[in-house]
Amino acid sequence: MSDRGEERKVSLPKAYDVEARDREEKKRKQRDGEEGSELDRFPVMMSFKAFLETQDDSITDEEALTKYGEYKLEFRRQKINEFFVLHKGQEWFRTKYHPTEFSNRQARTNAAVKRRCDIFQELEQKGLLEGVVCSQDQETEVVKMLDSLVILLEGGNYEDIKNLDSEMNNNDSVKHKSSSLFIKNLHQSITQNDLENLVKKFPGYQRLAVSSDTDPQNQFARKAWISFKRNAKIREICYAINNSQINGQDLQAVVNKDLSRRTRICPEEALNHPQVVKKDINIAIDLIKFKDARTKVWEKASPDKEQDKENKVTEDANKTNVEDEKPNPDDDAPTQDESSEKQSDAVETAKAAEAATNPLLIETAKLMAEQDNSLEDLKLTLDRLIIYLRMVHSIDFYGQKEYRGEDEMPNRCGFIHIRSEKQPEQDDPQVEKFLNTRSDKFNHLLQDKKEIEEVEAKKLGLKDETFEIDKFISANSQELSKDKWLCTLSGKKFKAMEFIKKHIFNKFMDKVDEVKTEVKFFNNYILDPERPQIPEEKVLPMAKKVRLSGPAPTPIQLVEASSPVKAKTGVHARLGTRQEAARPPPGAVKVTYATTDPRGLVDYSDVDLSMFDTFE
């Protein structure tokens, strides 16, 4: 074999050659024109100085500020609408804001919480949660408790829970663990269904999780986790997936590591103080009430009532099928039957809320009413609430975190924070300080998603449902002549536009519902204070401050007083080889000749710079 053949390097598989993957990704971005953020390709808002250059010289300060404010508002409205139109068909955007898809996702979340709640109750009834405390001295028991939940979620039984100790030594046969892959940058054109169709054909596939959050600076890429059974050949699957493409995009999956530890120890000694334990019990109760109400985990729908509602809807629909061209001014007025039905629904809702009370909260309230509770009793009470929050609502109490979508992740009940064994002094001054800030750490878990103020939303283009429906009806109505109108949806003719409206509501309610859905879709995006959008302005270096004596400067004076940016000078100007460089700028090289440099250029392109450490 030749020397050249002996020195040949063995190429790594595509799944493990990280540098090769990075080079290919860079080439792909350059080829597709994706280098940099997608948002950088949009025009940015003009600065006040740039805006003044477009105005007449006679403009006053007040007029300039007013017009600039109007320009900024209109710019924001246009860019918000452009962004919505550009992304409303993409899965990540629809998942966040489309009312139907959001409701479907919420329904799946509620169903998952209900199942976890049923398992929690089963484990409690069988005594498997009795005596378990969230403390460092019972770290092993806490992990077993979390694994018991996962085993039942994965379809296991109580015999598998009994075999937990023996299965811990045989990683290939455990049912509460999985092997998984992680995709850091899932292209925005790849939907969850596209990815699932690819990965579900591999043996041992279990589930797929795709994050709802995106990276605006990376083409709105998402993260994805693919879970397989523990005994799946995960490296071979990873190699196969990385040699596949979806919509022309690489996946770049890597093997996900197992959790090194399931518990995290909270170092605060104050957590074991009686006053802090009582405070935490009250916070945990508030959390459970809030999350139970949002997920409706204890509500039980009545089949008879649901059937009555369906019959009522069908009956009303049959009545509205009969067209009446005479408009009725009292159509919108509620009837006596409707009023009594609303009152009945209110009473039933109150009864359902009373019946939906969490039994754990009832027991806790009875226990807290007693005056002679020891510290250990208080800790046991608190820990039952903490375990409920962790197992049912995926909330890590001591970590103040909520693991959303945990049921779809590789670790369906992964981390939990527990107390340390250190005991505080009874008169420790730090305890009072700890108590004063304790509630603030949980505020983000006790709040619904915030929305911007309605006044601000209207300025940004918040849509009115009634106005949009009337606009839709007008767009589908055509006046042929006096007292003669045509409905373009059906081709039928009517004497007045009011009759077309009733006709559309009777025959084309699905079209009206589409308008309503589109309005809610857009408004959900507008009302989100953290909505992704086209940037209004680029971040520029800080300008030097200019001190002005006398009265406070006007906005225009501030612009005029700002330091101008000096233009870069070229090599000819610095060497004095051109006429415009007769006066070299300060710091430039002064020369005594005005002819071109007779020396030739030296080409260093063939020099191997890797032998130098100059750039390290």
Side-chain angles (χ1 to χ4, degrees):
M1 184 180 292
S2 63
D3 295 339
R4 189 177 186 87
E6 291 176 356
E7 294 176 357
R8 184 181 301 166
K9 295 182 179 180
V10 178
S11 60
L12 292 173
K14 187 176 180 181
Y16 309 111
D17 193 348
V18 178
E19 294 182 359
R21 285 209 315 269
D22 291 342
R23 289 194 299 270
E24 290 180 7
E25 175 66 10
K26 187 173 182 180
K27 290 179 181 178
R28 184 189 64 78
K29 286 185 175 181
Q30 291 175 346
R31 181 179 68 250
D32 298 342
E34 295 177 2
E35 197 68 47
S37 170
E38 176 184 300
L39 301 182
D40 293 338
R41 299 200 292 268
F42 290 95
V44 295
M45 183 184 295
M46 286 191 295
S47 64
F48 184 56
K49 180 178 180 180
F51 176 78
L52 284 179
E53 294 176 356
T54 65
Q55 303 299 308
D56 191 86
D57 293 339
S58 61
I59 190 172
T60 65
D61 292 351
E62 292 77 9
E63 291 175 343
L65 291 174
T66 301
K67 288 189 175 182
Y68 186 62
E70 294 173 352
Y71 159 75
K72 288 175 63 178
L73 181 59
E74 184 59 29
F75 182 91
R76 294 181 66 190
R77 287 170 61 103
Q78 290 181 4
K79 295 310 170 187
I80 285 175
N81 188 68
E82 286 179 19
F83 192 91
F84 177 81
V85 173
L86 181 64
H87 295 282
K88 71 176 186 177
Q90 296 175 353
E91 184 181 58
W92 70 268
F93 194 84
R94 297 179 67 85
T95 302
K96 286 175 70 75
Y97 300 114
H98 193 278
T100 303
E101 298 193 16
F102 180 82
S103 298
N104 293 339
R105 185 181 64 174
Q106 189 63 44
R108 292 194 297 269
T109 300
N110 293 352
V113 171
K114 182 68 172 66
R115 186 184 177 201
R116 294 169 78 103
C117 183
D118 292 340
I119 293 176
F120 172 83
Q121 289 180 291
E122 288 182 17
L123 292 174
E124 213 175 27
Q125 290 171 1
K126 292 184 178 294
L128 297 179
L129 304 182
E130 186 175 353
V132 179
V133 294
C134 299
S135 181
Q136 186 177 2
D137 57 347
Q138 287 201 17
E139 188 173 354
T140 304
E141 286 75 9
V142 171
V143 173
K144 287 182 180 179
M145 173 195 67
L146 300 181
D147 288 340
S148 300
L149 171 69
V150 176
I151 286 175
L152 297 180
L153 285 174
E154 295 288 0
N157 51 43
Y158 290 95
E159 189 66 29
D160 298 321
I161 295 176
K162 292 179 182 179
N163 296 331
L164 265 176
D165 292 329
S166 60
E167 286 185 350
M168 285 183 180
N169 299 321
N170 187 1
N171 286 334
D172 289 338
S173 63
V174 292
K175 294 187 178 181
H176 59 282
K177 291 185 178 181
S178 63
S179 299
S180 59
L181 301 177
F182 173 61
I183 299 177
K184 183 179 181 180
N185 299 308
L186 185 67
H187 195 269
Q188 59 176 310
S189 66
I190 302 176
T191 66
Q192 184 167 351
N193 190 51
D194 292 337
L195 182 57
E196 188 169 25
N197 288 336
L198 172 67
V199 300
K200 70 181 182 181
K201 64 183 181 182
F202 294 102
Y205 169 75
Q206 289 182 316
R207 55 188 173 272
L208 169 66
V210 179
S211 66
S212 57
D213 296 327
T214 58
D215 184 3
Q217 302 301 325
N218 188 22
Q219 299 295 301
F220 295 98
R222 296 179 291 174
K223 295 179 175 61
W225 295 262
I226 313 167
S227 302
F228 295 86
K229 291 182 179 180
R230 189 64 178 179
N231 58 1
K233 297 180 180 179
I234 195 66
R235 296 189 178 275
E236 294 181 8
I237 295 174
C238 180
Y239 179 71
I241 289 177
N242 283 332
N243 280 290
S244 305
Q245 286 188 336
I246 300 178
N247 300 333
Q249 305 294 334
D250 294 328
L251 298 176
Q252 299 184 10
V254 295
V255 177
N256 206 20
K257 293 182 179 180
D258 290 336
L259 297 178
S260 57
R261 290 190 64 182
R262 302 283 298 284
T263 59
R264 300 290 184 268
I265 310 299
C266 296
E268 295 90 347
E269 298 179 5
L271 293 175
N272 290 305
H273 194 277
Q275 293 182 14
V276 176
V277 174
K278 290 180 180 179
K279 181 73 172 180
D280 283 349
I281 289 175
N282 292 328
I283 295 174
I285 289 174
D286 292 339
L287 271 174
I288 292 174
K289 287 180 179 179
F290 181 80
K291 291 299 179 180
D292 283 355
R294 294 303 179 275
T295 57
K296 303 176 182 179
V297 65
W298 294 99
E299 289 187 10
K300 296 181 180 179
S302 173
D304 296 336
K305 185 177 179 181
E306 294 295 327
Q307 186 63 38
D308 292 342
K309 283 188 175 181
E310 292 180 6
N311 295 338
K312 178 69 175 174
V313 171
T314 305
E315 183 180 341
D316 292 343
N318 293 333
K319 289 181 180 180
T320 56
N321 283 337
V322 180
E323 292 185 18
D324 184 6
E325 293 192 355
K326 185 176 181 179
N328 185 2
D330 298 329
D331 279 345
D332 296 331
T335 64
Q336 184 176 358
D337 292 339
E338 291 174 343
S339 300
S340 60
E341 183 181 354
K342 289 182 180 179
Q343 293 176 359
S344 176
D345 287 343
V347 173
E348 296 232 3
T349 302
K351 290 181 179 179
E354 185 178 353
T357 304
N358 189 334
L360 180 60
L361 298 182
I362 298 175
E363 294 178 19
T364 303
K366 292 179 180 179
L367 183 65
M368 295 301 293
E370 301 176 3
Q371 301 297 326
D372 56 346
N373 290 319
S374 65
L375 178 59
E376 294 304 319
D377 291 336
L378 291 174
K379 285 184 179 180
L380 283 173
T381 301
L382 173 61
D383 289 339
R384 284 190 68 196
L385 302 175
I386 291 176
I387 293 170
Y388 176 85
L389 284 169
R390 185 63 190 91
M391 298 180 74
V392 178
H393 292 295
S394 300
I395 291 179
D396 187 355
F397 183 82
Y398 284 130
Q400 293 101 43
K401 294 180 181 179
E402 180 178 6
Y403 304 111
R404 298 179 183 272
E406 189 178 35
D407 263 340
E408 299 174 350
M409 297 293 289
N411 299 292
R412 304 181 79 171
C413 200
F415 293 115
I416 187 171
H417 285 72
I418 57 179
R419 297 183 298 270
S420 67
E421 296 179 347
K422 298 179 181 179
Q423 301 294 326
E425 298 179 2
Q426 291 297 322
D427 299 330
D428 189 349
Q430 295 297 324
V431 172
E432 187 67 27
K433 184 178 178 181
F434 188 84
L435 283 170
N436 292 335
T437 60
R438 189 61 175 161
S439 298
D440 297 338
K441 296 181 179 180
F442 294 87
N443 286 340
H444 64 286
L445 297 173
L446 289 165
Q447 296 175 352
D448 288 320
K449 186 178 180 181
K450 293 183 178 179
E451 295 182 348
I452 64 173
E453 296 293 334
E454 186 177 357
V455 176
E456 177 69 13
K458 287 182 178 179
K459 290 180 181 180
L460 297 178
L462 187 73
K463 293 184 178 181
D464 180 71
E465 184 179 282
T466 303
F467 176 78
E468 295 298 327
I469 291 175
D470 290 341
K471 189 166 69 171
F472 169 76
I473 293 174
S474 298
N476 290 281
S477 303
Q478 182 180 352
E479 186 177 11
L480 301 177
S481 60
K482 186 179 179 181
D483 297 334
K484 195 172 185 179
W485 290 76
L486 174 68
C487 175
T488 56
L489 291 175
S490 63
K492 290 187 177 182
K493 298 176 183 179
F494 299 86
K495 293 181 179 180
M497 193 172 177
E498 291 84 355
F499 303 140
I500 295 181
K501 183 176 182 178
K502 291 191 66 176
H503 170 69
I504 290 177
F505 271 87
N506 286 335
K507 296 297 184 180
F508 299 96
M509 196 60 195
D510 56 331
K511 301 289 185 183
V512 177
D513 290 338
E514 289 178 6
V515 175
K516 293 180 180 179
T517 301
E518 189 71 11
V519 170
K520 291 179 182 177
F521 188 11
F522 183 79
N523 288 348
N524 288 342
Y525 171 62
I526 287 286
L527 293 170
D528 184 8
E530 299 178 355
R531 62 182 173 275
Q533 60 187 36
I534 301 170
E536 298 174 4
E537 54 188 354
K538 290 184 178 178
V539 179
L540 300 176
M542 293 290 292
K544 295 182 179 180
K545 295 182 179 179
V546 180
R547 293 185 179 180
L548 298 176
S549 59
T554 64
I556 296 181
Q557 287 175 335
L558 286 175
V559 173
E560 293 173 348
S562 61
S563 300
V565 180
K566 295 181 179 180
K568 293 183 179 179
T569 56
V571 62
H572 295 288
R574 292 200 305 272
L575 294 178
T577 58
R578 288 187 177 174
Q579 198 69 23
E580 62 267 22
R583 282 185 166 182
V589 178
K590 186 176 180 181
V591 295
T592 57
Y593 55 85
T595 59
T596 58
D597 192 338
R599 294 173 294 179
L601 297 175
V602 180
D603 185 10
Y604 292 99
S605 61
D606 59 341
V607 178
D608 184 8
L609 295 179
S610 62
M611 66 181 70
F612 303 102
D613 59 354
T614 308
F615 303 102
E616 293 184 358

